[in-house]
Amino acid sequence: MDQETFRADAEATESESPHRLDIKVIDSSGPSWLHNWTSNFAALGISHLRSPMFFHPCPRDRDGLLAFAQETGRCGECVEIANCVGKSMSKHRRKKRTAKGEGIGTAKKGVTLEIDERDRKDYYTPSAEVFCDYCRNVVGRYGLDDLVEAGRVTSIDFGFFDDEFELYHENDPRARSFKVTTQDGQLKFAKVVVLAVGPGGIPNMPRTLSAAEKEGACHSTRLPKQMFLAPRVSEKIQKRVATAVVVVGGGLTAAQIANRCIENGVSRVLMVMRSALKLKPFDIDLDWMGKFQNVQKAAFWSADSDEERLEMLLEARNGGSIPPRYFKTLQMHVANGSLSIHTHTSITHQAWDAQLKTWKIETDPPMLDSPPRMDYIHYATGIRPDIECLPFLTPLREKFPIEVKGGLPCLTQDLAWAKDVPLFVAGRLAGLRIGPDCGNLEGARAGTERISWAVEDVLERWQLDQGEDAGEVYHRLCQRVGSVNMYDSLDGIESL
């Protein structure tokens, strides 16, 4: 079955209806869905995702991506995620571990929690092409094709606005709305705003680069916006001159950059990381994804304070890590002599020579086998989420201050800025309410479920304020949650 047939069959099962809402998506990376995602994957040459088959954006079908791969005959493009699936833990083993105080759903240090054999089909990772095609299928199925426009938001304000778009005062707080200003001066007004900006912070840089130094170094977030190899490095490769590149970081992005450099002809790549090299199938521990994940999440949600939740979140994520599949690739490069991995190592001094276009680097401990000069430095050091670093939220923060813990806002349980401020936050910035999976697709789906229900509630109340019949509004809400009385359809029919 081809993709078009799959889409037609899927559409037949959906209740198609025109959008009741006026929705607009503003994306600074481009005018289409997944624009930034596809740019990053292309820049790093990523062939497969890290996540399993049940991590995807479809809101209704957990097995939708798996079904898409099967129905379109593309299961061969999916790769099994090793070291995840095993036999279920027996009741006897669980009792012994509980008696030792380890608890159900927790794993010993250094021991991988096993996934039940019957879930093996879920623990494959799709190719980038399969995942992208499935996302296009979902976009088409729900009629979301024309919602995205390219633009950069410079300000989000919330209040009462008159016909001249100026603030004024009114006693009824329900009359307030958002004014969203973009870089080209456009104004957009909305009753609800959803902030889905990924990490929502600034790149982690060990030091600030000068204008001259930027010629010889960049953060990984810049790669989609420029050539992967600097012109000087490419020129040396073409002339068959030895080249050396430093990759700072110990996560998956660092591994992908190192692999990409070697594939492009760099003679020597040095990976430098402050901690040990951590191997994990996913960006969070397996016990947050397996059959006992609800135990972990219940402990997180029932924590006494946001400080405790922040500590649990940081412990579960525990910095960057590399999947075993990528580590095998790195080991092959190490065996070939094109890669060296330096753990527990920090760069103590670096100096850029503008004439030679090279770096002189000193580390602690010293890298004895390193070349005397480096041609380029890639910083794959991640992004630190920080709501206070987003300048377009300044008007909102000044009017409606919000408590912040470790850069993360203390949102309501509905992921709203405040009870009467319907700006909802998704992604890693919602970590104190979602949990350690806030930054991946599963956390995104959990967050959008909360947000969608809260948005429905906001709009229902707004429709009532506009004079709609309360009975009709309530009936529509009941239909959506599946709680409508089945005997209501008999209303008005005379009894026999």
Side-chain angles (χ1 to χ4, degrees):
M1 181 182 293
D2 60 19
Q3 294 180 36
E4 291 302 320
T5 307
F6 180 86
R7 174 173 171 175
D9 288 350
E11 287 177 343
T13 64
E14 302 285 353
S15 56
E16 297 293 336
S17 60
H19 290 304
R20 292 190 305 108
L21 305 178
D22 183 8
I23 304 175
K24 182 57 65 178
V25 178
I26 303 175
D27 190 345
S28 61
S29 65
S32 60
W33 295 105
L34 297 180
H35 193 279
N36 191 50
W37 184 88
T38 52
S39 299
N40 279 300
F41 269 55
L44 296 176
I46 302 173
S47 62
H48 285 75
L49 279 71
R50 187 178 191 174
S51 52
M53 298 298 286
F54 54 90
F55 279 24
H56 58 76
C58 183
R60 298 187 63 177
D61 187 1
R62 179 184 182 274
D63 297 323
L65 178 56
L66 178 62
F68 178 81
Q70 291 174 341
E71 294 291 341
T72 56
R74 302 176 69 180
C75 289
E77 298 180 42
C78 304
V79 177
E80 185 173 5
I81 303 172
N83 304 320
C84 286
V85 179
K87 295 180 181 179
S88 292
M89 186 181 295
S90 67
K91 292 182 180 178
H92 176 67
R93 285 179 64 194
R94 277 185 302 197
K95 287 180 180 179
K96 285 183 65 176
R97 287 180 55 182
T98 304
K100 291 180 181 179
E102 295 174 3
I104 297 176
T106 59
K108 291 183 180 179
K109 201 168 185 178
V111 177
T112 301
L113 188 69
E114 294 175 332
I115 303 296
D116 197 282
E117 180 68 33
R118 61 177 171 265
D119 293 326
R120 180 179 292 275
K121 66 182 185 304
D122 291 330
Y123 286 86
Y124 282 72
T125 182
S127 68
E129 291 78 9
V130 167
F131 182 81
C132 194
D133 289 342
Y134 178 67
C135 290
R136 292 193 185 103
N137 176 275
V138 173
V139 168
R141 190 189 318 171
Y142 288 93
L144 309 177
D145 303 78
D146 301 324
L147 299 185
V148 185
E149 68 176 44
R152 184 176 295 276
V153 173
T154 57
S155 172
I156 299 178
D157 201 356
F158 186 60
F160 307 101
F161 299 96
D162 58 21
D163 294 338
E164 301 298 324
F165 312 136
E166 299 296 333
L167 281 168
Y168 72 97
H169 297 285
E170 186 173 315
N171 294 327
D172 187 0
R174 293 172 297 182
R176 293 183 296 188
S177 61
F178 289 96
K179 182 173 76 169
V180 180
T181 307
T182 59
Q183 194 172 39
D184 59 1
Q186 291 188 44
L187 299 179
K188 299 183 185 297
F189 293 86
K191 299 300 293 184
V192 174
V193 170
V194 178
L195 189 66
V197 292
I202 56 176
N204 271 325
M205 290 290 287
R207 59 189 290 273
T208 303
L209 298 175
S210 66
E213 290 175 334
K214 289 180 180 179
E215 186 180 358
C218 78
H219 192 269
S220 58
T221 54
R222 294 292 308 169
L223 288 177
K225 305 176 182 67
Q226 65 183 42
M227 295 176 60
F228 181 79
L229 292 179
R232 174 64 176 165
V233 177
S234 297
E235 182 181 336
K236 292 179 72 174
I237 292 174
Q238 291 173 1
K239 293 180 178 180
R240 300 186 181 277
V241 177
T243 51
V245 170
V246 175
V247 180
V248 181
L252 176 56
T253 302
Q256 290 165 338
I257 291 174
N259 180 61
R260 187 74 163 164
C261 285
I262 294 170
E263 288 180 342
N264 279 270
V266 174
S267 310
R268 186 74 185 282
V269 176
L270 298 91
M271 286 184 65
V272 179
M273 60 197 75
R274 291 180 300 177
S275 62
L277 185 67
K278 297 184 283 290
L279 299 183
K280 291 196 299 186
F282 310 109
D283 59 342
I284 55 176
D285 292 332
L286 203 56
D287 51 351
W288 286 89
M289 298 174 57
K291 61 192 292 187
F292 296 115
Q293 62 173 301
N294 288 338
V295 176
Q296 299 285 9
K297 292 182 178 180
F300 178 85
W301 292 330
S302 60
D304 294 331
S305 65
D306 283 328
E307 289 84 358
E308 185 178 347
R309 274 184 282 272
L310 178 62
E311 184 178 347
M312 294 172 68
L313 190 151
L314 295 175
E315 182 181 353
R317 297 191 67 87
N318 193 26
S321 61
I322 298 175
R325 181 169 60 89
Y326 258 98
F327 183 61
K328 289 182 179 179
T329 302
L330 297 184
Q331 285 179 311
M332 180 183 67
H333 294 317
V334 170
N336 293 337
S338 54
L339 173 68
S340 58
I341 301 175
H342 303 268
T343 59
H344 304 287
T345 302
S346 299
I347 296 177
T348 57
H349 177 73
Q350 60 190 81
W352 171 249
D353 189 321
Q355 290 184 338
L356 297 177
K357 309 289 186 185
T358 57
W359 291 94
K360 181 68 175 177
I361 293 177
E362 297 177 7
T363 62
D364 181 25
M367 299 186 294
L368 301 178
D369 60 341
S370 66
R373 289 193 170 273
M374 308 296 171
D375 294 289
Y376 204 83
I377 301 177
H378 284 283
Y379 289 98
T381 46
I383 297 177
R384 177 173 54 89
D386 190 351
I387 194 77
E388 295 178 317
C389 289
L390 303 179
F392 57 84
L393 289 178
T394 300
L396 201 66
R397 292 202 312 271
E398 291 176 349
K399 288 184 182 179
F400 307 95
I402 189 170
E403 191 175 3
V404 177
K405 302 292 182 183
L408 304 178
C410 299
L411 307 168
T412 69
Q413 293 302 323
D414 292 330
L415 308 187
W417 189 270
K419 182 180 179 181
D420 296 323
V421 183
L423 180 137
F424 298 92
V425 181
R428 285 181 63 185
L429 289 173
L432 293 179
R433 297 295 173 262
I434 296 298
D437 60 351
C438 56
N440 60 36
L441 286 164
E442 184 71 0
R445 184 161 52 193
T448 52
E449 285 180 1
R450 294 200 201 184
I451 292 172
S452 60
W453 283 111
V455 170
E456 288 286 358
D457 182 59
V458 170
L459 296 180
E460 296 292 352
R461 286 188 275 113
W462 181 75
Q463 287 168 341
L464 289 174
D465 293 339
Q466 298 301 306
E468 288 198 34
D469 180 77
E472 292 182 4
V473 173
Y474 176 74
H475 185 71
R476 282 202 307 273
L477 180 61
C478 289
Q479 284 181 319
R480 277 194 288 275
V481 301
S483 62
V484 65
N485 188 334
M486 71 178 70
Y487 295 108
D488 284 348
S489 60
L490 302 178
D491 186 30
I493 300 179
E494 296 182 3
S495 60
L496 297 177

